[in-house]
Amino acid sequence: MLISKPVAEGIRAGTVTQAFRRWDAPRVKVGGLQLTSAGLVRFDSVSRVRDPERLTERDARAAGAKDLAALQRSLAPRTTRPSAPGGRGGRGGDTVYRIRLSWAGEDPRLALRDSIPDVEELAGIASRLRRLDARPTGPWTREILEWIRDNPRVVSKELAALRGVELLPMKADIRKLKALGLTISHDVGYELSPRGTAYLRWLEGRPG
């Protein structure tokens, strides 16, 4: 479920407590967690809205919408159905659902990226990265980590151009490294985390 940064910040602050989505069936599980730009969000309940026309300005404010009219526009059914079965967008289904939300804590990667791994953890990171490297296009993780180390906060377009790859798939790759606590994302570019720095030093010190 896509949660924008302003809405995520509102959930964290407690001013946004619900969301509305038009789906064919619920796509989140009660009690489930989702990582957002403002930390972890918990899905506390999911219920069907039988008459979306009866939603109120209070509902709109609690969902982080500008006003009721903006909320109603966001929930308007599509005039043409998406090509994917069931519709993947928030306006792609036949039913409007109310999702109650709450903030569940900080992004666990924040603590992970500051933790210095021991030898066993370093070997585990290496094993995970070998699996990421095992694709037809060949290894890529060390190359990106070294580039980020040597070019902190440099726009990612430069890295994509240097590697001769498309920008968005490359950024998806970097998110995989971030999930392991190895990199830190900034508004412009990236830098290695203390964990990522320790891993590269360990890797460079290995024989062969």
Side-chain angles (χ1 to χ4, degrees):
M1 173 172 149
L2 181 63
I3 299 176
S4 69
K5 184 174 181 179
V7 169
E9 294 291 350
I11 297 169
R12 181 188 179 106
T15 57
V16 174
T17 57
Q18 63 183 0
F20 295 92
R21 295 291 188 274
R22 180 176 284 279
W23 292 328
D24 284 328
R27 296 194 191 138
V28 298
K29 293 183 178 181
V30 175
L33 299 175
Q34 179 168 320
L35 185 59
T36 73
S37 58
L40 290 171
V41 167
R42 179 184 294 108
F43 302 116
D44 296 317
S45 69
V46 182
S47 59
R48 181 179 178 180
V49 178
R50 298 190 179 280
D51 186 359
E53 294 299 322
R54 298 186 66 179
L55 294 174
T56 66
E57 291 286 350
R58 183 176 181 180
D59 287 322
R61 290 193 300 272
K66 178 182 178 181
D67 52 31
L68 179 58
L71 176 62
Q72 293 286 13
R73 285 195 298 272
S74 74
L75 295 175
R78 295 180 185 272
T79 55
T80 57
R81 299 285 290 169
S83 57
R88 297 306 300 165
R91 296 168 61 188
D94 294 326
T95 304
V96 173
Y97 290 91
R98 183 195 306 265
I99 305 99
R100 300 285 186 183
L101 307 161
S102 60
W103 191 68
E106 297 287 357
D107 183 340
R109 296 173 301 186
L110 297 181
L112 180 63
R113 71 191 191 189
D114 290 329
S115 66
I116 304 302
D118 58 24
V119 173
E120 183 177 348
E121 289 177 298
L122 289 165
I125 294 171
S127 178
R128 294 282 298 275
L129 295 187
R130 280 196 298 271
R131 290 197 291 272
L132 293 178
D133 283 333
R135 64 188 189 190
T137 52
W140 57 272
T141 59
R142 181 170 181 171
E143 176 190 352
I144 288 184
L145 288 172
E146 290 178 339
W147 190 91
I148 291 173
R149 178 196 61 193
D150 298 337
N151 300 273
R153 295 177 183 258
V154 173
V155 64
S156 53
K157 287 182 180 179
E158 292 191 18
L159 175 56
L162 178 68
R163 300 183 66 234
V165 299
E166 295 182 10
L167 177 62
L168 293 182
M170 187 198 72
K171 293 178 78 170
D173 282 343
I174 295 176
R175 284 196 294 272
K176 296 172 186 176
L177 302 177
K178 182 179 178 180
L180 296 175
L182 302 177
T183 65
I184 301 170
S185 298
H186 297 290
D187 289 339
V188 176
Y190 312 91
E191 67 177 316
L192 286 190
S193 67
R195 188 176 185 83
T197 299
Y199 172 72
L200 266 190
R201 287 175 179 168
W202 174 78
L203 198 63
E204 291 170 346
R206 297 174 68 190

